């Protein structure tokens, strides 16, 4: 491709602080559901580029782009055919470069998803492995084993895949391969030097093109203990954890060395659902990936005691290893938070309880088609706005998911025939899955796909999306979009004089207040009754304030 299409960094627009990612607001884009430029019902890179002015007006510091690689979409693009190309269904490398240049020119950094645990079953290496003999070098890049039973007819272990069904699939010559996720996602063998080297090549490929950082999929899961040469172990693959984690440390030290070849160093954030918190933060150490998602708030109830305990726990644990904070309320894997907060509260989770009661409730609600229990839409939105404003005041980085700035709710009533998530298929419909938070965004109140593109949308949008259209909300001073814009622009100003930590303020039951230094205070009323309004100049309020701090409301004050 022509060199002129390779973006040049625009030093005027980009924040040159190498630590930008420690306090960034990062906006996640699920590219196939963001904006469709060519009318084939699938969002694409050209569509994304056309929306850069929207992102700039929103005020985000960075975009995290979910997988855009060639893929049969067995798992929404997390089944990658080629790590160093763009899916022709959504664009070209030249369009990727144009997108990067447009983002950078608008002062927005770009973080791309990298999927090291597994490729797709269409990846040339997996095809080569299938065509090769057992015990061949080609098979060693993945995890192939003989089965148990007289004729090898039983899988090597009883371990279950995350999306349901066995984690092993048998191939024509009788061997089995391991897949933590869908059948179409064979796991790499991270003890294989070619696999390790190839990922370093991939990291450099994108970093050379101007990518600023990486979101690492299943970051803590690359090594597992499985039966193999010299071992007939068939127990839990995640043990002994510490030994597996030490091997991961070594892999990520190699990645860190690559990141540090660049100026500014490339950043990384690990997707780590692991408990306990110390284990998650292992991957957030400065000599490791540097940052790991903290999903604690995403599983909590809208309850002051839960939020406060989570903030305390994370601030202390991160400081202990020199890691920066991250905060998340929504992403492409969970029920949107405007909906979660509209469902009845559950009891708080016990330490390390999995699945937590909030998630059990959401799974049940999805199964009922979104009717039981009844979603309180108004309360859900008020709480969602309040929780977001609480989160955007906290020290550290915040990750937002496309559509939450519109206050978008989960779409719970998609037809089975329209569903795409392998969770749904692999569980025979017992688990509804994640399609309801991946429905293409509404940009305008009319049009064949509410402005998503000139034609329809690859997942059907409900009629009520019209009321959440970006163009409608941009013109409404009371909308979620207007609030998000205000929060982001205030945050930029306030961060210049804020402390790196926070101080809790005395507050009545059900209310949390914290100070960030420079006079910045954040107050959230988690309760059902109005609370006294703290003194100070109100900078932002998530609902109209009338001399009290209303229920389900956050205010930012200058005290
Ligand atoms: C985590 C991703 O966020 C999720 O969407 C995906 O299904 C799994 N990893 C497997 O790649
Ligand atoms: Ca398209």
């Amino acid at each position: 491709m022509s060199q002129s299409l390779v973006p040049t960094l625009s030093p005027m627009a980009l924040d040159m602080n190498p630590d930008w990612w420690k306090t960034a607001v990062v906006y996640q884009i699920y590219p196939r559901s963001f904006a469709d430029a060519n009318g084939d019902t699938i969002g694409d890179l050209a569509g994304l580029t056309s929306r850069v002015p929207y992102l700039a007006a929103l005020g985000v510091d960075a975009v995290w782009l979910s997988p855009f690689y060639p893929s049969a979409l067995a798992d929404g693009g997390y089944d990658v055919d080629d790590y160093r190309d763009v899916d022709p269904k959504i664009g070209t490398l030249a369009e990727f470069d144009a997108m990067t240049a447009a983002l950078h020119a608008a002062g927005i950094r770009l973080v791309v998803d990298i999927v090291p645990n597994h490729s797709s079953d269409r990846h040339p290496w997996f095809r080569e492995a299938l065509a090769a003999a057992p015990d061949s070098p080609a098979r060693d890049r993945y995890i192939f084993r003989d089965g148990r039973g007289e004729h090898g007819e039983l899988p090597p272990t009883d371990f279950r895949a995350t999306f349901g069904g066995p984690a092993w699939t048998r191939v024509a010559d009788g061997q089995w391969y391991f897949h933590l996720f869908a059948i179409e996602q064979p796991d790499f063998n991270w003890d294989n030097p070619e696999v390790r080297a190839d990922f370093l090549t991939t990291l450099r490929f994108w970093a050379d093109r101007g990518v600023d950082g990486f979101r690492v999929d299943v970051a803590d899961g690359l090594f597992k203990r499985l039966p193999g040469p010299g071992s007939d172990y068939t127990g839990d693959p995640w043990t002994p954890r510490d030994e597996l984690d030490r091997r991961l440390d070594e892999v990520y030290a190699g990645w860190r060395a690559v990141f540090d070849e660049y100026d500014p160093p490339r950043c990384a954030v690990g997707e780590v659902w692991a408990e306990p918190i110390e284990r998650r933060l292992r991957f957030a150490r400065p000599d490791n990936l540097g940052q790991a998602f903290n999903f604690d708030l995403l599983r909590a109830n809208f309850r002051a005691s839960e939020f406060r305990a989570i903030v305390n726990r994370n601030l202390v644990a991160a400081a202990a290893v020199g890691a920066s904070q991250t905060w998340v309320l929504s992403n492409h894997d969970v029920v949107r938070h405007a909906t979660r907060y509209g469902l009845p509260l559950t009891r708080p989770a016990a330490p390390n309880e999995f699945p937590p009661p909030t998630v059990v409730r959401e799974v049940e609600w999805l199964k009922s088609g979104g009717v039981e229990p009844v979603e309180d839409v108004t309360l859900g939105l008020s709480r969602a706005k309040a929780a977001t404003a609480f989160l955007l005041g906290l020290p550290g980085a915040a990750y937002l998911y496309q559509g939450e700035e519109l206050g978008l709710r989960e779409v719970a009533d998609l037809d089975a025939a329209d569903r795409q998530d392998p969770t749904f298929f692999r569980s025979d419909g017992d688990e509804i899955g994640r399609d309801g938070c991946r429905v293409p965004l509404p940009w305008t109140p009319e049009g064949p796909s509410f402005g998503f593109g000139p034609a329809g949308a690859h997942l059907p949008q409900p009629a009520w999306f019209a009321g959440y259209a970006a163009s409608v909300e941009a013109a409404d001073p009371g909308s979620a979009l207007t609030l998000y814009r205000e929060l982001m622009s205030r945050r930029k100003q306030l961060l210049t004089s804020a402390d790196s930590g926070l101080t809790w303020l005395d507050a009545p039951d059900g209310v949390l207040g914290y100070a960030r230094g420079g006079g910045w205070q954040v107050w959230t009323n988690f309760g059902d009754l109005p609370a006294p309004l703290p003194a100070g100049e109100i900078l932002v309020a998530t609902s109209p304030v009338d001399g009290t701090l209303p229920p389900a409301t956050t205010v930012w004050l200058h005290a």
Side-chain angles (χ1 to χ4, degrees):
M1 55 157 285
S2 110
Q3 274 305 106
S4 65
L5 287 169
V6 175
T8 44
L9 286 184
S10 165
M12 296 310 288
L14 283 181
D15 170 6
M16 277 308 172
N17 171 10
D19 286 339
W20 64 270
W21 48 276
K22 293 185 180 172
T23 53
V25 178
V26 185
Y27 180 87
Q28 181 191 359
I29 293 186
Y30 189 76
R32 293 169 184 85
S33 296
F34 189 65
D36 172 23
N38 68 353
D40 66 355
T41 78
I42 302 173
D44 42 47
L45 300 189
L48 197 167
T49 304
S50 76
R51 301 295 177 179
V52 168
Y54 173 83
L55 300 171
L58 185 56
V60 296
D61 301 301
V63 159
W64 148 29
L65 184 61
S66 276
F68 51 90
Y69 311 106
S71 169
L73 304 181
D75 180 21
Y78 286 89
D79 45 320
V80 178
D81 298 349
D82 180 349
Y83 290 86
R84 300 194 279 273
D85 205 350
V86 172
D87 190 341
K89 294 190 284 303
I90 71 169
T92 61
L93 275 173
E95 282 168 338
F96 181 91
D97 293 336
M99 174 194 74
T100 310
L103 286 167
H104 283 165
I108 300 171
R109 300 215 173 247
L110 175 62
V111 171
V112 298
D113 223 307
I114 192 95
V115 188
N117 182 69
H118 44 264
S119 70
S120 81
D121 60 351
R122 310 197 313 171
H123 190 286
W125 276 1
F126 193 71
R127 291 175 192 246
E128 197 187 329
L130 287 184
D135 300 325
S136 56
R139 284 217 174 163
D140 188 60
R141 297 183 189 120
Y142 293 90
I143 303 174
F144 280 85
R145 297 287 186 272
D146 293 330
R148 291 174 297 174
E150 205 180 329
H151 307 289
E153 71 281 8
L154 298 173
T157 70
D158 295 329
F159 191 65
R160 309 283 294 171
T162 305
F163 298 145
W168 297 91
T169 290
R170 203 168 193 198
V171 303
D173 60 27
Q175 273 208 314
W176 300 74
Y177 71 87
F178 182 83
H179 50 89
L180 202 51
F181 296 93
I183 291 173
E184 296 88 348
Q185 292 166 297
D187 282 38
F188 281 119
N189 169 18
W190 272 87
D191 287 316
N192 181 292
E194 270 186 286
V195 169
R196 292 190 182 206
D198 196 63
F199 270 90
L200 298 183
T201 305
T202 294
L203 295 175
R204 287 197 180 95
F205 178 87
W206 295 110
D208 287 345
R209 293 192 105 83
V211 159
D212 302 286
F214 298 88
R215 178 266 187 191
V216 185
D217 191 59
V218 203
D220 64 321
L222 309 192
F223 290 102
K224 25 265 139 176
R225 184 170 171 206
L226 298 169
S231 162
D232 54 6
Y233 178 81
T234 56
D236 173 19
W238 304 121
T239 181
R241 263 292 188 196
D242 203 53
E243 189 212 307
L244 301 174
D245 286 347
R246 275 201 297 275
R247 286 151 77 189
L248 269 172
D249 288 345
E250 194 195 314
V251 167
Y252 293 139
W255 289 29
R256 166 66 37 213
V258 171
F259 300 150
D260 290 348
E261 287 166 10
Y262 293 85
D263 180 23
R266 294 338 190 206
C267 64
V269 54
E271 188 215 15
V272 185
W273 285 91
E275 298 288 350
I277 191 171
E278 290 74 21
R279 178 157 187 268
R280 184 213 318 144
L281 286 164
R282 177 180 194 126
F283 303 100
R285 285 183 328 223
D287 60 347
N288 202 289
L289 294 175
Q291 211 173 51
F293 285 127
N294 160 13
F295 294 124
D296 291 357
L297 284 181
L298 184 147
R299 291 157 156 177
N301 288 289
F302 186 78
R303 190 179 273 139
S305 54
E306 290 184 50
F307 270 55
R308 182 170 174 146
I310 286 171
V311 170
N312 285 340
R313 184 165 75 223
N314 279 279
L315 291 178
V316 169
V321 296
S324 64
Q325 293 297 328
T326 65
W327 307 103
V328 186
L329 288 169
S330 276
N331 65 31
H332 66 300
D333 289 331
V334 299
V335 171
R336 284 185 176 279
H337 69 279
T339 290
R340 295 203 311 266
Y341 292 144
L343 302 178
L345 301 187
T346 68
R347 65 170 171 81
N352 299 337
E353 177 179 3
F354 193 81
T358 48
V359 171
V360 173
R361 174 203 58 189
E362 285 142 29
V363 167
E364 289 306 314
W365 178 82
L366 280 174
K367 254 193 223 175
S368 77
V371 295
E372 182 59 42
V374 174
E375 177 185 3
D376 185 333
V377 172
T378 308
L379 181 63
L381 182 57
S382 300
R383 286 178 169 170
K385 289 172 166 177
T388 300
F390 178 91
L391 169 140
L392 285 172
L394 293 172
Y399 285 81
L400 309 179
Y401 175 52
Q402 66 179 40
E404 68 164 86
E405 78 279 17
L406 305 174
L408 217 54
R409 291 185 275 129
E410 188 81 1
V411 180
D413 54 357
L414 290 166
D415 284 344
D418 292 321
R419 294 207 170 268
Q420 301 176 3
D421 187 349
T423 315
F424 182 72
F425 303 108
R426 298 270 300 163
S427 69
D428 289 329
D430 192 42
E431 283 207 39
I432 298 301
R434 304 160 293 179
D435 295 313
C437 65
R438 300 175 177 184
V439 175
L441 293 193
W443 294 91
T444 55
E446 306 94 16
S449 52
F450 300 113
F452 165 66
H458 67 99
L459 274 169
Q461 302 154 300
W464 55 260
F465 260 36
Y468 291 79
S471 67
V472 174
E473 294 205 14
D476 174 1
S479 71
L481 180 58
T482 302
L483 171 70
Y484 271 67
R485 288 176 172 176
E486 282 172 13
L487 288 168
M488 242 89 73
S489 102
R490 280 288 180 187
R491 178 181 158 103
K492 279 196 184 69
Q493 296 162 5
L494 292 167
L495 276 182
T496 56
S497 54
D499 298 334
S500 58
L502 63 72
T503 310
W504 292 111
L505 302 166
D506 283 341
D509 268 2
V511 175
L512 293 181
Y514 60 84
R516 284 299 314 278
W520 181 14
Q521 292 187 359
V522 176
W523 291 87
T524 302
N525 183 356
F526 290 82
D528 301 327
L529 298 172
L533 185 65
E537 179 202 352
I538 296 181
L539 305 175
V540 192
T542 65
S543 52
V545 169
D546 50 2
T548 66
L549 181 61
T553 299
T554 294
V555 292
W556 286 10
L557 297 178
H558 190 265

